Amino acid sequence: MRIGELAEATGTTTKALRFYEEAGLLPSPDRTGAGYRDYPPEIISRLAFIRRSQSAGLTLAQIREILQIRDGGQAPCEHVQELLSDRLSDLDRQIAELQELRGTVAQLQADATTVEPARCDPATVCRYL
Amino acid sequence: MRIGELAEATGTTTKALRFYEEAGLLPSPDRTGAGYRDYPPEIISRLAFIRRSQSAGLTLAQIREILQIRDGGQAPCEHVQELLSDRLSDLDRQIAELQELRGTVAQLQADATTVEPARCDPATVCRYL
DNA sequence: CTTGACCTTCCCCTGCACTGGAAGGTCCAA
DNA sequence: TTGGACCTTCCAGTGCAGGGGAAGGTCAAG
C-alpha cells in the first residue's frame, strides 16, 4: 500500500509517516519501480501501537526503544513496565505541581476580583501579582 | 547598574535580560559612553513582577501585555483578572486531562505487572499497549 | 496528450524561553 | 602593558512532533 493510503487508514499524514521512518519508528519499506514507498498491511498494527503508546503519553523516543527491543526479537515486557511506572510517577508529580499552582492562581484571582474597587497604585505594575 | 549586577540581583542571567529587552518586556536602558547598558534601580521591581507572573504560569507574551498596558499609563487590573481567570480554566482543564491519563496509565501498568508470567506473543509488539 | 492526483527529496519553520559561542570592545588592577 | 573580567552584537541551537512548500517525477483517466 502506498503512503497516502496508509496515512488515511491510520488517521495520520504522509509527513508524519516519513518522519517516523526517519526517526527509526518505522522500518524502511520496499519501493515500487517508480520509487514509491510500498507498505505491507502489517504496518497498520505497528502504527496503531504507536498511537496507543502516544495516547499513554510516551514520547516517540520511548516508543522507539520498545519497538527496537521487539524488532531485536526480545519481548519488551520489562522495559514497558518500567516505562509505564516512570510515566505514572511523572504524571503524579505533574498533577501535584499543577494543583499547587492552581491554589496559588486561585488565590491571586480571588484577590483580584474582590479587592477590585481599590484602584491600582499607578507607581507599581500590578497589585495583584 | 550594569547588566551583570542586575542579573545577579534578580537571580537571572545577562542572556535572559537581553532577551527580555528584545521581547519587549524591558525598556531599552540608557547606555554608558562605552555602550554598556545602564539600568536604573527601579528595574529590579519590574523583574520581580516578571518572576512572580511567571510563577503564576503566565507566558512572557501575557506578561508583556500587562506591562504594555501599565506602561501606557493605564491600570491593567481588568486584563490581569481576565488572564488569571483564563489561567485557572487552563489549569483545571490540564489537571483533568492528566488525571484521566493517569487512570489509563495506571490500568496499563497494573495489567503489565500482574499478567507478567504470561510471556508476550512474539508476533505482536506488546500485549500491554 | 494533457490534466490532476499522487509520489519523491530537500530544506526551513513552528512555539517557548531561553542558552552557547564567536568575534570584538572596555575597564581596572598588578 | 598585559591579563582577566566584564560588556557588545550576531548567529545558531535546544526539545518535541511534526507542518509548509518548492522542484520535480509518475500514473491513470479523459
Side-chain angles (χ1 to χ4, degrees):
Chain A
M1 83 195 312
R2 287 187 308 178
I3 196 168
E5 296 175 72
L6 179 58
E8 189 159 9
T10 58
T12 181
T13 64
T14 59
K15 283 283 188 187
L17 292 175
R18 294 193 196 94
F19 177 75
Y20 291 164
E21 182 180 335
E22 180 69 19
L25 287 111
L26 295 180
S28 299
D30 290 342
R31 300 289 182 130
T32 68
Y36 289 10
R37 287 175 177 78
D38 187 18
Y39 294 96
E42 312 88 75
I43 205 76
I44 291 179
S45 64
R46 193 179 178 99
L47 259 301
F49 171 76
I50 293 173
R51 280 284 159 270
R52 288 197 303 278
S53 303
Q54 277 194 311
S55 300
L58 299 186
T59 66
L60 293 189
Q62 292 172 321
I63 300 169
R64 181 179 52 217
E65 284 177 17
I66 299 174
L67 289 168
Q68 281 175 350
I69 292 172
R70 176 78 280 173
D71 291 346
Q74 283 189 285
C77 305
E78 287 170 26
H79 193 61
V80 168
Q81 285 172 34
E82 201 179 311
L83 284 177
L84 290 176
S85 289
D86 290 354
R87 186 77 193 102
L88 206 52
S89 306
D90 271 6
L91 283 171
D92 285 339
R93 193 183 39 68
Q94 279 182 55
I95 290 170
E97 279 174 15
L98 285 182
Q99 274 170 342
E100 194 183 333
L101 183 54
R102 200 217 115 93
T104 306
V105 174
Q107 185 59 54
L108 288 171
Q109 197 252 3
D111 291 354
T113 49
T114 60
V115 185
E116 206 273 327
R119 303 306 296 165
C120 299
D121 172 5
T124 62
V125 177
C126 175
R127 58 175 303 164
Y128 305 134
L129 281 175
Chain B
M1 83 197 308
R2 288 187 307 182
I3 196 170
E5 296 175 72
L6 179 58
E8 188 159 9
T10 56
T12 181
T13 64
T14 60
K15 283 283 189 186
L17 292 174
R18 293 194 196 94
F19 176 76
Y20 290 164
E21 182 180 335
E22 179 69 18
L25 287 111
L26 295 181
S28 300
D30 291 342
R31 300 291 182 128
T32 67
Y36 290 9
R37 286 173 178 80
D38 188 18
Y39 293 97
E42 311 88 76
I43 204 77
I44 290 178
S45 64
R46 193 180 179 99
L47 259 300
F49 171 76
I50 293 174
R51 282 284 160 266
R52 288 196 303 278
S53 303
Q54 278 194 310
S55 300
L58 299 186
T59 66
L60 292 189
Q62 292 172 320
I63 300 168
R64 182 180 52 218
E65 283 177 17
I66 298 173
L67 289 168
Q68 281 174 351
I69 293 172
R70 176 78 280 175
D71 292 345
Q74 283 189 286
C77 304
E78 287 170 24
H79 193 62
V80 168
Q81 285 171 34
E82 201 179 311
L83 284 177
L84 289 177
S85 288
D86 290 354
R87 186 76 193 103
L88 207 51
S89 306
D90 271 7
L91 282 171
D92 285 339
R93 193 183 38 68
Q94 279 184 52
I95 289 170
E97 280 175 15
L98 285 183
Q99 274 170 344
E100 192 183 333
L101 183 54
R102 200 217 116 93
T104 306
V105 174
Q107 185 60 54
L108 288 172
Q109 197 251 4
D111 292 353
T113 49
T114 61
V115 185
E116 207 273 328
R119 303 307 295 167
C120 299
D121 173 5
T124 62
V125 177
C126 176
R127 59 175 303 166
Y128 305 135
L129 281 174

